[in-house]
Amino acid sequence: MKVLLSVGGWMGRLEQFAEFRRRMNERIMGFGNLDTRRFWALDSSVYRAGALDERVKELLGLATSLVLRCDDCVTYHIIRCVQLGLTDEEILEALNVALVVGGSITIPHLRRAVEAIDECRNLTAEELNRLLA
Amino acid sequence: MKVLLSVGGWMGRLEQFAEFRRRMNERIMGFGNLDTRRFWALDSSVYRAGALDERVKELLGLATSLVLRCDDCVTYHIIRCVQLGLTDEEILEALNVALVVGGSITIPHLRRAVEAIDECRNLTAEELNRLLA
Amino acid sequence: MKVLLSVGGWMGRLEQFAEFRRRMNERIMGFGNLDTRRFWALDSSVYRAGALDERVKELLGLATSLVLRCDDCVTYHIIRCVQLGLTDEEILEALNVALVVGGSITIPHLRRAVEAIDECRNLTAEELNRLLA
Amino acid sequence: MKVLLSVGGWMGRLEQFAEFRRRMNERIMGFGNLDTRRFWALDSSVYRAGALDERVKELLGLATSLVLRCDDCVTYHIIRCVQLGLTDEEILEALNVALVVGGSITIPHLRRAVEAIDECRNLTAEELNRLLA
Amino acid sequence: MKVLLSVGGWMGRLEQFAEFRRRMNERIMGFGNLDTRRFWALDSSVYRAGALDERVKELLGLATSLVLRCDDCVTYHIIRCVQLGLTDEEILEALNVALVVGGSITIPHLRRAVEAIDECRNLTAEELNRLLA
Amino acid sequence: MKVLLSVGGWMGRLEQFAEFRRRMNERIMGFGNLDTRRFWALDSSVYRAGALDERVKELLGLATSLVLRCDDCVTYHIIRCVQLGLTDEEILEALNVALVVGGSITIPHLRRAVEAIDECRNLTAEELNRLLA
């Protein structure tokens, strides 16, 4: 689904999410204080490769986001999972764990997750990277 | 509220929900595996008449959806409740239980629930059925 | 399971819940202000028979409590459901809706719910009434 | 972001929230029963000045809304906080507590909260008052 | 309520909470890595006096903990609120906001919160400090 | 911590969890109907090796359980993670993702998770297996 933005032109759901995320993250770096910035740093740090590789950590981010039912968080981790080369079947199995843990209340979010996967598969690697640039 | 869709034309909130649900359920049946399909089957099965009738079960689906604050789930169960002939007063009392259990944080969702009831009351039985076809 | 209380003697889980609820409700009526008392009144009022009967309303209370995973709330509504003459099968079907809506994360609470049902079935009507007196 | 409304013209996010809230609150006063109205009254009452002043109470409303991740509730309390003269730094510190308590899952809601603050700062006192009139 | 601990002797609920918190915080500092320690540091930092004073911040911690229904978190912030000299009426008003925002599902936690307040009022300042030492 | 059980003798937290889980799962198989049993089957099925191996799936179960703050679920997945040979550092990194996603409200559950890891490390492989037998 696309909505007509006041800035003109059409923007897909992924692009809308990415544009809002980029713009507000920048704004929050100006608005926030040291504690805010420390949280942001920590939120990057825990997904870096360590004893677990990045792909497992993104799947953890995805599954926790689905059970907590946050569409933007799910969209972000879907983009990352596709960037890191996870297959549809691998992502699906993580979503299935989250579906069973979190119940049918996650289904509307699962629908949007699968739509996001499909949209990511239509993008080039470069376009994907630009989303989270 | 209506938003202008890129496919052209206006679509109300109920129709948007119904179109997205239908399209993505179909996509998920293709994307998902056996576990996904089993969950979908179970999600139908628990609402079938048994010791409790369908109307009580849809009210249970509605009240649990409201306390968990899922607009799409609330919309779905509102449509079902209206289809099954529940009155405004019956639906309202279930919503009131959910409001007291779940607190004021449910109020924005309650607003959308009441809007959905009003929209359903403006549809014919046939139009209602088509929403969930 | 029973735990040894410092006041002496053994107390089952239902009795512990009931004793704590009674004691603290009384304390809160002293501690709280007008808003607190109004909430308590409302929390009784929404479960009274109206367009929906008391049994449906208690099932709504039970199912919403299970998806929100509050053991004390589940215990309370189980006692009420048994008092009102709901059968095991009726209660089970409400629990199944909640299980599917809320997912496997509700299972530990479902275990305690079934234990509470079994404990209630071992009590006389008078003993049940005394729990919530 | 603005979306094109079917009633014509552009409406910002704050105005959309305010219009929907006003219209549906009015509708709910007609649709609801005595219990519904009592809840609405209580929802006003607990934010009135008492032992704690209104500003602290609105910050409590804001922080609880953020950890429960309700955008409409966050928007409402942001408008109230700005009306009551709270500074950006004061609002930010309440948001930081909520961010740490509620985790990164609150970040998308925090982005929308900061956007709402910025939008409120662009309104006159009269325009702000009109939003919640 | 007291439970008989295997280490011998009776321990009240506050002391149990405090002993477990102290022991496991120490263990987690050994078990955790840099990210864990950074989160712990941030969890202290956001409650320090800044634009908002410590008392308001502890009330924010208390109210968010109650709506998220975490007994240990509620107990911690109750102890802090009493240490900082907040009155019963001030704490109660914060709890009432949380009760209305979070609904009746918070009531069992509110009962334990009021019990914790009563227990804190029976302790000397020194005993209170020792709980969180 | 150990509590004195009425059946006599001391039982550690892991054993208590395991005993209650075993007893009530058995009871629920008798109490439940076909839908209940289907959910139980699905709850096993999604953790079986597929495109993702069992260890990743248990970490997904663990992280989702921590953000949803279910101690019994966390305990179960900790036992499984240790059985499957995951290291402390691997488990910790999954817990850290959940801590950042879910916020400080997960900390009391994280404390109990680390305690459960320590208890599992003190058991032989045979003792671990017996817990979930």
Side-chain angles (χ1 to χ4, degrees):
Chain A
M1 200 192 89
K2 297 184 176 182
V3 301
L4 185 55
L5 294 184
S6 64
V7 293
W10 291 102
M11 212 187 266
R13 199 161 66 86
L14 288 187
E15 284 80 6
Q16 272 185 66
F17 158 74
E19 186 278 332
F20 183 69
R21 175 177 175 274
R22 190 183 307 118
R23 178 160 54 84
M24 292 314 298
N25 274 6
E26 195 175 316
R27 173 70 187 112
I28 286 172
M29 287 307 97
F31 188 87
N33 57 20
L34 186 57
D35 287 339
T36 321
R37 283 189 289 276
R38 278 175 176 153
F39 196 97
W40 249 251
L42 200 44
D43 188 32
S44 295
S45 180
V46 291
Y47 294 101
R48 288 206 195 99
L52 300 175
D53 65 31
E54 275 185 300
R55 307 199 320 168
V56 170
K57 288 186 163 187
E58 287 302 329
L59 290 174
L60 292 169
L62 176 61
T64 51
S65 296
L66 188 60
V67 298
L68 291 174
R69 299 183 288 120
C70 173
D71 284 331
D72 278 8
C73 310
V74 165
T75 299
Y76 173 83
H77 291 294
I78 290 283
I79 296 172
R80 289 290 297 136
C81 285
V82 173
Q83 280 187 322
L84 294 170
L86 284 153
T87 67
D88 281 0
E89 190 62 28
E90 287 168 329
I91 298 173
L92 171 65
E93 292 190 7
L95 294 173
N96 273 350
V97 169
L99 171 63
V100 168
V101 170
S104 69
I105 206 78
T106 67
I107 287 181
H109 306 273
L110 183 59
R111 287 186 191 120
R112 290 186 277 272
V114 172
E115 191 189 41
I117 296 171
D118 286 346
E119 290 176 359
C120 285
R121 296 296 183 205
N122 283 329
L123 298 180
T124 63
E126 198 183 329
E127 285 170 329
L128 268 179
N129 291 344
R130 214 177 303 135
L131 284 176
L132 302 186
Chain B
M1 201 192 89
K2 295 183 176 184
V3 301
L4 185 54
L5 294 183
S6 62
V7 294
W10 292 102
M11 210 186 269
R13 199 161 66 86
L14 288 187
E15 285 79 8
Q16 272 185 63
F17 158 74
E19 187 277 333
F20 183 70
R21 175 178 175 274
R22 191 183 305 117
R23 177 160 54 85
M24 291 314 300
N25 273 5
E26 196 175 313
R27 173 69 187 112
I28 286 172
M29 287 307 97
F31 188 87
N33 58 20
L34 186 56
D35 286 338
T36 321
R37 283 189 289 278
R38 278 176 176 152
F39 196 97
W40 249 250
L42 200 44
D43 187 34
S44 295
S45 180
V46 290
Y47 295 101
R48 287 205 196 99
L52 300 174
D53 65 30
E54 274 185 301
R55 308 199 319 167
V56 171
K57 289 185 163 190
E58 287 301 331
L59 291 174
L60 292 169
L62 176 61
T64 52
S65 296
L66 188 60
V67 298
L68 291 174
R69 299 183 289 120
C70 173
D71 284 331
D72 277 9
C73 311
V74 165
T75 299
Y76 173 83
H77 291 293
I78 289 283
I79 297 172
R80 289 289 297 136
C81 285
V82 173
Q83 279 186 324
L84 294 170
L86 284 154
T87 66
D88 280 359
E89 191 62 29
E90 288 167 328
I91 298 174
L92 171 65
E93 292 190 6
L95 294 174
N96 274 349
V97 169
L99 171 63
V100 168
V101 169
S104 69
I105 206 79
T106 68
I107 286 181
H109 307 273
L110 183 58
R111 288 187 191 118
R112 290 186 277 273
V114 172
E115 190 188 43
I117 295 170
D118 286 346
E119 289 176 0
C120 286
R121 296 295 182 205
N122 283 327
L123 298 181
T124 64
E126 199 184 327
E127 286 170 327
L128 267 179
N129 292 342
R130 215 177 302 135
L131 283 177
L132 302 186
Chain C
M1 201 191 89
K2 296 182 174 182
V3 301
L4 185 53
L5 295 183
S6 64
V7 294
W10 292 101
M11 211 187 269
R13 196 161 67 85
L14 288 187
E15 284 79 8
Q16 273 185 63
F17 158 75
E19 186 277 333
F20 184 70
R21 175 177 175 273
R22 189 183 306 114
R23 179 161 52 86
M24 291 314 299
N25 274 5
E26 196 175 315
R27 173 69 187 112
I28 286 173
M29 288 306 97
F31 188 88
N33 57 21
L34 187 56
D35 287 338
T36 322
R37 283 188 289 277
R38 277 177 177 151
F39 197 97
W40 249 250
L42 200 45
D43 188 34
S44 294
S45 180
V46 290
Y47 295 101
R48 286 204 197 100
L52 300 174
D53 65 30
E54 275 185 301
R55 308 200 319 167
V56 171
K57 289 185 163 189
E58 287 300 330
L59 290 174
L60 292 170
L62 176 61
T64 51
S65 295
L66 188 59
V67 298
L68 292 174
R69 299 183 289 121
C70 173
D71 285 331
D72 277 9
C73 311
V74 165
T75 299
Y76 173 83
H77 291 293
I78 289 283
I79 297 172
R80 289 290 296 138
C81 286
V82 173
Q83 279 186 325
L84 294 170
L86 284 153
T87 66
D88 281 359
E89 190 62 29
E90 288 168 328
I91 298 173
L92 170 66
E93 292 190 7
L95 294 174
N96 274 349
V97 169
L99 171 63
V100 167
V101 170
S104 68
I105 206 78
T106 67
I107 287 181
H109 306 273
L110 183 58
R111 288 188 190 118
R112 289 186 277 272
V114 172
E115 191 188 43
I117 296 171
D118 286 346
E119 289 176 0
C120 285
R121 297 296 182 204
N122 284 329
L123 298 180
T124 64
E126 199 184 327
E127 286 169 328
L128 267 178
N129 292 342
R130 215 177 302 135
L131 283 176
L132 302 187
Chain D
M1 200 191 89
K2 295 184 175 182
V3 302
L4 185 55
L5 294 183
S6 64
V7 291
W10 292 102
M11 211 187 267
R13 198 160 67 85
L14 288 187
E15 285 79 8
Q16 273 185 63
F17 159 75
E19 186 278 333
F20 184 69
R21 175 177 175 274
R22 190 182 307 116
R23 178 160 53 86
M24 292 313 299
N25 274 6
E26 197 175 313
R27 173 68 188 112
I28 286 172
M29 288 307 96
F31 189 87
N33 58 20
L34 186 56
D35 287 338
T36 321
R37 283 189 289 278
R38 278 175 176 155
F39 196 96
W40 249 250
L42 200 44
D43 187 34
S44 295
S45 181
V46 289
Y47 294 101
R48 288 208 194 97
L52 299 175
D53 65 30
E54 275 185 301
R55 307 198 321 165
V56 170
K57 289 186 163 188
E58 286 302 330
L59 290 174
L60 292 169
L62 176 62
T64 52
S65 295
L66 188 61
V67 298
L68 292 174
R69 299 183 286 122
C70 172
D71 285 330
D72 278 9
C73 311
V74 166
T75 299
Y76 173 83
H77 291 293
I78 290 283
I79 297 172
R80 289 289 297 136
C81 286
V82 173
Q83 279 187 322
L84 294 169
L86 283 153
T87 66
D88 281 359
E89 190 62 28
E90 288 168 328
I91 298 173
L92 171 65
E93 292 190 6
L95 294 174
N96 273 350
V97 169
L99 171 64
V100 168
V101 170
S104 69
I105 206 79
T106 66
I107 286 181
H109 306 273
L110 183 59
R111 288 187 191 119
R112 290 186 277 272
V114 172
E115 191 188 41
I117 296 171
D118 286 345
E119 290 175 359
C120 285
R121 296 295 181 203
N122 284 327
L123 298 180
T124 64
E126 199 184 327
E127 286 170 328
L128 267 178
N129 291 343
R130 215 177 302 134
L131 283 177
L132 302 186
Chain E
M1 200 192 89
K2 295 182 178 183
V3 302
L4 185 54
L5 294 183
S6 64
V7 293
W10 291 101
M11 212 187 267
R13 198 161 66 86
L14 288 187
E15 284 80 7
Q16 272 186 65
F17 158 74
E19 186 278 332
F20 183 70
R21 176 178 174 273
R22 190 182 308 117
R23 178 159 53 85
M24 291 314 299
N25 273 5
E26 195 176 314
R27 173 69 188 113
I28 286 173
M29 288 305 97
F31 188 87
N33 57 21
L34 185 57
D35 286 338
T36 321
R37 282 188 291 277
R38 278 175 176 153
F39 197 97
W40 249 249
L42 200 45
D43 188 33
S44 295
S45 181
V46 291
Y47 294 101
R48 286 202 198 103
L52 300 174
D53 65 30
E54 275 186 301
R55 308 200 319 168
V56 171
K57 289 186 163 187
E58 287 302 330
L59 290 174
L60 292 170
L62 176 61
T64 51
S65 296
L66 188 61
V67 297
L68 291 174
R69 299 183 289 120
C70 172
D71 285 331
D72 278 10
C73 311
V74 166
T75 300
Y76 173 83
H77 291 293
I78 290 283
I79 297 172
R80 290 288 298 135
C81 285
V82 173
Q83 278 186 324
L84 294 170
L86 284 154
T87 66
D88 280 0
E89 190 62 29
E90 288 168 329
I91 298 173
L92 170 65
E93 292 190 7
L95 294 174
N96 273 350
V97 169
L99 171 63
V100 167
V101 170
S104 69
I105 206 78
T106 67
I107 287 180
H109 307 273
L110 183 58
R111 287 186 191 118
R112 290 187 277 272
V114 172
E115 191 188 42
I117 296 170
D118 286 346
E119 289 175 2
C120 285
R121 296 297 183 204
N122 284 328
L123 299 180
T124 64
E126 198 184 328
E127 285 169 328
L128 268 179
N129 292 342
R130 213 176 304 134
L131 283 176
L132 302 187
Chain F
M1 199 191 91
K2 296 183 175 184
V3 302
L4 185 54
L5 294 183
S6 63
V7 292
W10 292 101
M11 211 187 267
R13 198 162 66 86
L14 288 187
E15 285 79 7
Q16 272 185 65
F17 158 74
E19 187 278 333
F20 184 69
R21 175 176 175 274
R22 190 182 306 115
R23 177 160 54 84
M24 292 314 298
N25 273 4
E26 197 176 314
R27 173 69 187 111
I28 286 173
M29 288 307 96
F31 188 87
N33 58 20
L34 186 56
D35 286 338
T36 321
R37 282 189 290 277
R38 279 177 176 152
F39 196 96
W40 250 249
L42 200 44
D43 188 33
S44 295
S45 180
V46 290
Y47 294 101
R48 289 208 193 97
L52 300 174
D53 65 31
E54 275 185 302
R55 308 198 321 166
V56 170
K57 289 185 162 189
E58 286 301 330
L59 290 175
L60 292 169
L62 175 61
T64 52
S65 296
L66 188 60
V67 297
L68 291 174
R69 300 183 287 122
C70 172
D71 284 331
D72 277 10
C73 310
V74 165
T75 300
Y76 173 83
H77 291 293
I78 289 283
I79 297 172
R80 289 289 297 136
C81 285
V82 173
Q83 279 186 323
L84 293 170
L86 283 153
T87 65
D88 281 0
E89 190 63 27
E90 288 168 328
I91 298 173
L92 170 66
E93 292 190 6
L95 294 174
N96 273 349
V97 169
L99 170 64
V100 167
V101 170
S104 69
I105 206 80
T106 66
I107 286 180
H109 307 272
L110 183 59
R111 288 186 191 118
R112 291 187 275 273
V114 172
E115 190 188 41
I117 296 170
D118 286 346
E119 290 175 0
C120 285
R121 296 296 183 204
N122 284 328
L123 298 181
T124 64
E126 200 184 327
E127 285 169 329
L128 268 179
N129 292 341
R130 215 178 302 133
L131 283 177
L132 302 187

